Amino acid sequence: MTARLTRAQVPEPETWNLDDLFPSHEVWEAGLNASLAAIPAVTQYKGRLGAGAGVLLACLEASEALQKQVIRVGTYASLRNSEDGTNTVNQGLAARTAAMHAKLGAALSFIRSEILALPDGTIDRYLAAEPGLKDFRLYLEELLEIKPHMLQPETEAVLAALGEVTNAPHMIYNRAKSSDMAFESVVDSEGQEHANSFAVYEGGLESAPDITLRRNAFSAFTQGLKRYQNTFAATFATEVTKNVVLARLRKYESATHMLLQPQQVTLEAYNNLLDVIQTELAPVMRRYARLSKQVQGLDQMRYCDIDAPLDPGFSPSVSYDEVRQIIIDGLSVLGPEYMEAIHTAFRDRWIDRSDNVGKSTGAFCSSPYGVHPFILITLTGSMREATVLAHELGHAGHFALAQRYQRVINTRPSMFFIEAPSTTNELLVGNHILAQSTDNRMRRWVLMQFLGTYYHNFVRHLLEGELQRRIYGLAEAGRPITASTLCETKGDILEQFWGGEVVVDDGARLTWMRQPHYYMGLYPYTYSAGLTLGTAVSQAIRTEGQPAVDRWLKTLKAGGTLKPLELAKLAGVDMSGKAAIQKAVAYVGSLVDELEKSF
C-alpha cells in the first residue's frame, strides 16, 4: 500500500502556481489589508446615489475596482485551503477571508438598498443620461427584478454582516470532508491492500475493474460516511432552513423561487430538466444497467457497480503528456484564440494534478478576474481523465475569453449556463478520441466515457437536483430534515429511477453526503442544463464546422452580458422548451444502442 503524500512532498511541476495571485502569505496579508482599506472609496457614496447618474456610475466603478482586489484575495485563500485543508495556516486564511467578505458585505449593502429605493423610472433616466452606465445595464435591470423582495436597508446590512454565519454550512461541510473524514484501507481479490480516501475512491476505486476491490472500497467508504451522517445532516438542514427562512422574509413564493432568481431562469425551465430527464432517460439507463450486469457476470447490479468498466481488460492508461496532447488535438477545432488559453494552462502551471493529504476531492476551476484560471484535479493515469481535465479546461477557456472581452461585472453568466462550455469540451475531446481509432474495443471504451459523462450529469447530478426539489418541499411543509429523512428520500429517488435494475443499498442512500453542491444554491440540476446545451453545440460543430464554432466563440466572449436562455440562442440552441432536452436524451439512447451491439 502506497501512503498518500503530504503537500510538501508533491513535486512543484505537479502543483498550480499560486504565486501568480500572491507570491507569499505576507503579500496576501497586504492585499487583504488593502482591500479593507479601500472600503471608504466606495462608502463615500453612501446616501448619495439619488444625486444623479454620474454619482451612481462613480460608485459602481469604485465597487467594481474593490471587487477585483477582493476576488484575488479570496481566491488565494480558497485555493490554499483546497490544496491542503488540514493545514491550520490555510484554515486561518479561509477564516480571515470569510470575515473580510462579511465586513465588505455589510459596508457595501447600501448600494443595492439605495438603488432599489430610487423612485420608479430613475434607473431608466440614469441609463439614458450617462453612457458609462451601459456596461452596468444588466446588473441594474437584474437588481430591479428583486426590488419586491428587498428588506429595509438596516436589515439588509445586518444580513450582510452575518455572511460568515450564513455561509457556515458550506465551510463546515468542506472542513469536515477534507480534514476529519478518514476511510479504512481495503484489499482486492488478490489480497493486496489499497489506501482509501474521498479523492482516491471517487478518482479510481469507484470504477475499479476488480469487483472485490470495488465493492470492498464502497463498503469502507460507506462506513466512513455513516460515522458523520448526523453531523452532515444537521449541516444540510441548516442550509435548507436558512434558505426557507430567507425566502419567507423576502416574500418569495418558496425557497426554490428565491434560489432560481439569480440564475435568471423560469420555474418551468427548472422543472422541465428534472422531469423530462427522469421520465425519458430512466428506461435508457435501465437498459444500460441490465447490459452491465450481464457483461460483468454480476449476481446483482449494485449501486457501486454502475461506474464499472464493461471491458475491464481494456483500460488505456496515459501519461500526463499524452493527456495534454489528446486535449490539445481534440479542442484545436476551436481555433487559435481559444487554444492560446489551453496551451498557457499546461505551460504555466494553472493545473494542480497530484493527490495529497488534505487535498479537496473532485475537480474544479476557479477563475479570478485579472489573473488566470486555476484547476484542481487528481490525475491517476486513466485516459478517462483526459475528458475530465478537458471539462475543467472548458471553464478555463470560457473565462479566459470572457475576461478578455468583458469587465468584471459582466464576466460570469448565470449558473444555468455555467456547465455548457465544460461539457462541450468533454464531448469534443471524446469524439476526437473516437475518430482516431477503428478498433472495436477502443470505440467501445470511448462510448463508455460518453456514457460516464451523461451518467454523472444527467443522472447523478440531476438526481441530486431532484433531492433538493423534494427536500425543500418537505422543509417548506415544516418537516424536520434529518439523516433518516435524507437517506429515505434519496433512496426513494434512486429506486424510482432505476426501477429495480439496481440494488439501492445503505451506501447508495448516503450519497447525499458526497457533494458540496447542496451548499451552492440550486447548482446540481444545472449540470443537466449545461450538458443539454453542450450536446447541441458539439453536434453542431461536428456537422456545421466553422459557422457553429464562430457562434460558440461569440457566446463564450459574451460572458454574462445576456441571460442564459439568450446565451443559448446566441449559440444556436433553444433551451426554452423540451425539444433540446429530448434530443440529448435520444443521443444517450443511441450510445446505449451502439454499446449493446458491440457486445
Side-chain angles (χ1 to χ4, degrees), residues 357-599:
V357 174
K359 183 174 179 178
S360 180
T361 62
F364 67 76
C365 177
S366 178
S367 301
Y369 192 91
V371 188
H372 60 70
F374 294 87
I375 292 170
L376 179 141
I377 191 171
T378 299
L379 300 181
T380 59
S382 166
M383 188 180 280
R384 163 68 181 161
E385 291 159 357
T387 55
V388 177
L389 183 52
H391 176 108
E392 299 307 331
L393 285 166
H395 292 304
H398 176 200
F399 286 112
L401 288 179
Q403 290 184 18
R404 178 175 295 177
Y405 289 92
Q406 306 298 334
R407 59 196 301 165
V408 62
I409 198 166
N410 288 330
T411 298
R412 291 190 68 83
S414 157
M415 190 182 289
F416 186 87
F417 180 86
I418 212 74
E419 293 298 335
S422 51
T423 50
T424 297
N425 274 20
E426 279 194 69
L427 296 171
L428 290 175
V429 169
N431 277 307
H432 165 71
I433 298 171
L434 197 62
Q436 299 306 300
S437 178
T438 57
D439 178 74
N440 183 58
R441 296 184 81 183
M442 176 58 84
R443 288 189 63 83
R444 186 161 60 195
W445 182 88
V446 176
L447 291 173
M448 286 293 302
Q449 307 318 301
F450 279 158
L451 283 170
T453 293
Y454 284 96
Y455 168 65
H456 284 280
N457 294 290
F458 267 12
V459 180
R460 178 170 284 179
H461 291 319
L462 192 281
L463 296 187
E464 291 168 4
E466 177 62 19
L467 179 66
Q468 283 189 306
R469 182 163 68 167
R470 295 193 189 188
I471 290 299
Y472 273 103
L474 292 173
E476 300 272 7
R479 180 170 169 180
I481 306 304
T482 64
S484 296
T485 305
L486 289 161
C487 289
E488 177 185 342
T489 307
K490 184 66 177 181
D492 288 345
I493 292 168
L494 292 172
E495 286 171 350
Q496 289 173 20
F497 184 85
W498 291 107
E501 297 294 342
V502 173
V503 175
V504 178
D505 54 21
D506 287 346
R509 293 185 180 91
L510 284 168
T511 51
W512 58 267
M513 295 180 64
R514 291 175 57 174
Q515 291 290 353
H517 299 152
Y518 301 115
Y519 306 93
M520 302 162 72
L522 295 181
Y523 187 16
Y525 91 98
T526 64
Y527 280 92
S528 63
L531 187 51
T532 296
L533 181 53
T535 300
V537 169
S538 63
Q539 289 177 339
I541 289 173
R542 290 170 61 196
T543 57
E544 297 179 41
Q546 195 59 45
V549 170
D550 291 341
R551 289 198 305 270
W552 187 230
L553 293 177
K554 185 177 181 180
T555 304
L556 298 180
K557 292 174 184 178
T561 57
L562 296 171
K563 293 186 177 182
L565 300 187
E566 294 170 341
L567 282 172
K569 284 184 179 179
L570 188 62
V573 184
D574 182 2
M575 288 287 291
S576 62
K578 298 180 180 180
I581 308 170
Q582 291 168 328
K583 187 176 180 181
V585 170
Y587 177 65
V588 181
S590 72
L591 296 176
V592 176
D593 289 342
E594 186 173 349
L595 194 63
E596 287 175 331
K597 291 175 183 176
S598 77
F599 283 102

Side-chain angles (χ1 to χ4, degrees), residues 328-343:
I328 289 172
D329 292 343
L331 299 181
S332 61
V333 66
L334 296 177
E337 186 177 16
Y338 185 91
M339 292 308 296
E340 177 189 350
I342 305 303
H343 286 292

Side-chain angles (χ1 to χ4, degrees), residues 4-8 80-92 174-181 356-360:
R4 296 176 73 198
L5 300 176
T6 65
R7 183 66 184 180
R80 284 296 185 199
N81 205 43
S82 294
E83 71 183 22
D84 184 3
T86 65
N87 186 306
T88 55
V89 173
N90 294 344
Q91 293 173 9
N174 284 329
R175 183 71 55 82
K177 188 174 175 182
S178 65
S179 303
D180 294 337
M181 299 191 77
N356 59 257
V357 174
K359 183 174 179 178
S360 180

